[in-house]
């Protein structure tokens, strides 16, 4: 596809989740000529979350409505938002400008904010890829309803696994949480809720080794991590599902070689969200930080846009 003429922009924002949309809002307020590019649906991981009870000022929000409100706020302020997956970001060493290439357009940007978020991490059991979308899921909000009256197994011991296991009790007849260690990492309040829910069984020191079956899963191979022994459980084909919530992998592919990463693979920034490449900022789950939440993603986006405006010598929101 020909991309002869690059579209000049002050700022290109990559990612339309809370970090990217917050950056879009703040870019408008600094009067930057900016575009926000999203790969699939706007919202990122937040739209996979059914219930959000810790975003200040919006009690009992659901992920989709929250991000929809953020998007409306951005576009009502004049932000340009496009569904156009970014394929590459390069720096023109002679000009210091950043070239952002999508499937349809090339952008020549003075500054870029990458708020590309993270993807669900695979648990690594045999059969995971084979049954993904047919018995193995990474999204309870999307797929929970297909397990009405059925049994589900949830893998993971963090906040996501605990919250999604509780959410799945609305549909499933039984939810078995498989935790590889002898304790959960989830917040105490969630652990207590799991304990108190009759539909939930927590199996500590248990790993899922393999899922087998025909078109749909029918057999699980599990390992007791206390003894190292494996055992099998067989069910009617399609009578259960496996939900995986074992953390996330940051989407750093686009900035590979342009930024420094920490040991866990997250982008290293200063407190202005600046990376080691001038004009390239990152925000949200893709960066190294102690707390990955919607509220911190939104805060990162605001800081990154304000820093980009300062980098461009534009008036900065007071
Ligand atoms: P976490 O990294 O917090 O937890 C991952 C869990 O999965 C751990 O229990 C880990 O076990 C387990 N795990 C990792 N790899 C495997 C594997 N291959 N097989 C089996 N188990 C595995 O990830 P989350 O997605 O839960 O949370 C990500 C971030 O988002 C966290 O900072 C969390 O606090 C935050 N969050 C906050 C929420 C809230 O505040 N309401 C809701 C959801 C997420 P081990 O402990 O053994 O490493």
């Amino acid at each position: 596809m020909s991309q002869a003429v690059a579209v000049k922009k002050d700022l290109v924002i990559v990612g339309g989740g809370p970090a990217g949309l917050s950056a879009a809002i703040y870019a408008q307020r600094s009067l930057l000529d900016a575009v926000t590019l999203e790969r699939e649906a706007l919202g990122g991981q937040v739209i996979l979350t059914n219930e959000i009870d810790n975003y200040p000022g919006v009690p009992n929000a659901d992920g989709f409505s929250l991000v929809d409100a953020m998007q409306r706020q951005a576009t009502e302020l004049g932000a340009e938002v496009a569904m156009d997956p970014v394929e590459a970001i390069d720096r023109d060493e002679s000009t210091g400008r950043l070239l952002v290439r999508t499937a349809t357009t090339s952008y020549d940007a003075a500054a870029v904010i990458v708020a590309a978020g993270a993807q669900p991490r695979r648990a690594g059991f045999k059969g995971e890829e084979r049954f993904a979308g047919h018995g193995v899921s990474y999204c309870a909000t999307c797929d929970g309803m297909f397990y009405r009256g059925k049994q589900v197994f949830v893998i993971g011991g963090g906040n996501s696994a605990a919250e999604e296991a509780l959410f799945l009790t609305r549909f499933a007849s039984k939810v078995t949480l498989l935790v590889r260690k002898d304790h959960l990492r989830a917040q105490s309040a969630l652990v207590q809720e799991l304990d108190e829910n009759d539909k939930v069984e927590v199996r500590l020191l248990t790993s899922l080794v393999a899922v087998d079956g025909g078109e749909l899963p029918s057999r699980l191979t599990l390992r007791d991590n206390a003894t190292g022994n494996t055992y099998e459980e067989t069910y009617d084909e399609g009578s259960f599902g496996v939900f995986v919530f074992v953390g996330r992998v940051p989407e750093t592919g686009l900035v590979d070689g342009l930024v420094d990463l920490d040991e866990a693979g997250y982008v290293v920034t200063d407190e202005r969200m600046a990376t080691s490449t001038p004009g390239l900022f990152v925000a949200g789950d893709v960066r190294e930080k102690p707390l990955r939440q919607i509220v911190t993603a939104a805060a990162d986006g605001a800081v990154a846009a304000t820093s980009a405006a300062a980098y461009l010598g534009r008036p900065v929101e007071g």
Side-chain angles (χ1 to χ4, degrees):
M1 193 172 297
S2 153
Q3 298 188 346
V5 183
V7 178
K8 281 210 165 195
K9 288 283 174 192
D10 293 333
L11 175 65
V12 172
I13 299 164
V14 182
L21 291 172
S22 168
I25 289 167
Y26 276 75
Q28 284 308 114
R29 300 191 64 169
S30 290
L31 303 177
L32 299 184
D33 178 15
V35 63
T36 301
L37 303 171
E38 171 58 46
R39 181 170 48 186
E40 293 156 357
L42 279 168
Q45 302 161 90
V46 65
I47 58 168
L48 305 182
T49 308
N50 187 63
E51 206 173 290
I52 295 159
D53 59 9
N54 55 5
Y55 192 76
V58 192
N60 310 317
D62 70 89
F64 183 82
S65 308
L66 187 59
V67 87
D68 187 53
M70 290 179 187
Q71 188 204 345
R72 273 188 283 112
Q73 190 176 357
T75 50
E76 278 165 20
L77 285 167
E80 181 187 346
V81 178
M83 297 293 162
D84 199 1
V86 173
E87 295 178 342
I89 302 173
D90 294 298
R91 183 163 193 265
D92 182 332
E93 292 301 333
S94 59
T95 61
R97 291 180 69 91
L98 293 156
L99 307 174
V100 179
R101 185 165 48 78
T102 73
T104 63
T105 313
S106 280
Y107 292 95
D108 173 0
V112 169
I113 296 172
V114 173
Q119 290 291 324
R121 175 180 289 133
R122 302 294 199 232
F125 55 85
K126 194 167 157 273
E128 186 169 12
E129 297 302 326
R130 176 181 161 200
F131 289 109
H134 312 275
V136 173
S137 170
Y138 300 83
C139 176
T141 313
C142 321
D143 299 332
M145 67 187 112
F146 301 123
Y147 295 92
R148 204 175 285 282
K150 299 183 179 181
Q151 182 167 3
V152 301
F153 294 83
V154 174
I155 306 177
N159 283 327
S160 301
E163 283 194 348
E164 303 306 323
L166 289 165
F167 172 69
L168 285 164
T169 60
R170 295 186 195 182
F171 309 100
S173 54
K174 182 176 176 191
V175 176
T176 305
L177 188 61
L178 305 175
V179 182
R180 66 181 177 183
K181 287 198 179 134
D182 64 355
H183 61 275
L184 282 88
R185 256 197 230 185
Q187 292 158 5
S188 312
L190 286 170
V191 176
Q192 192 177 335
E193 268 191 77
L194 289 168
D195 283 345
E196 287 169 1
N197 192 310
D198 289 342
K199 280 191 178 177
V200 176
E201 178 200 354
V202 178
R203 276 195 222 170
L204 299 175
L205 288 166
T206 305
S207 290
L208 181 58
V209 177
V211 176
D212 295 295
E215 216 161 292
L216 295 170
S218 61
R219 193 169 65 242
L220 299 177
T221 306
L222 298 148
R223 186 177 56 238
D224 177 338
N225 293 329
T227 61
N229 294 336
T230 57
Y231 57 97
E232 287 188 352
E233 291 185 1
T234 304
Y235 301 91
D236 291 339
E237 186 172 321
S239 68
F240 70 93
V242 175
F243 285 80
V244 180
F245 301 106
V246 296
R248 294 162 193 153
V249 182
E251 284 274 339
T252 55
L254 289 172
V255 289
D256 204 18
L258 290 173
V259 299
D260 295 330
L261 302 179
D262 72 1
E263 282 173 3
Y266 292 94
V267 180
V268 176
T269 68
D270 64 13
E271 63 178 358
R272 294 172 193 280
M273 309 297 143
T275 68
S276 45
T277 292
L280 179 59
F281 302 85
V282 300
D285 278 9
V286 75
R287 85 178 186 93
E288 167 199 41
K289 57 186 193 170
L291 184 64
R292 293 193 175 80
Q293 299 273 286
I294 302 166
V295 69
T296 60
D300 283 2
V303 173
T306 307
S307 299
Y311 173 77
L312 299 174
R314 295 301 182 83
V316 173
E317 182 82 3

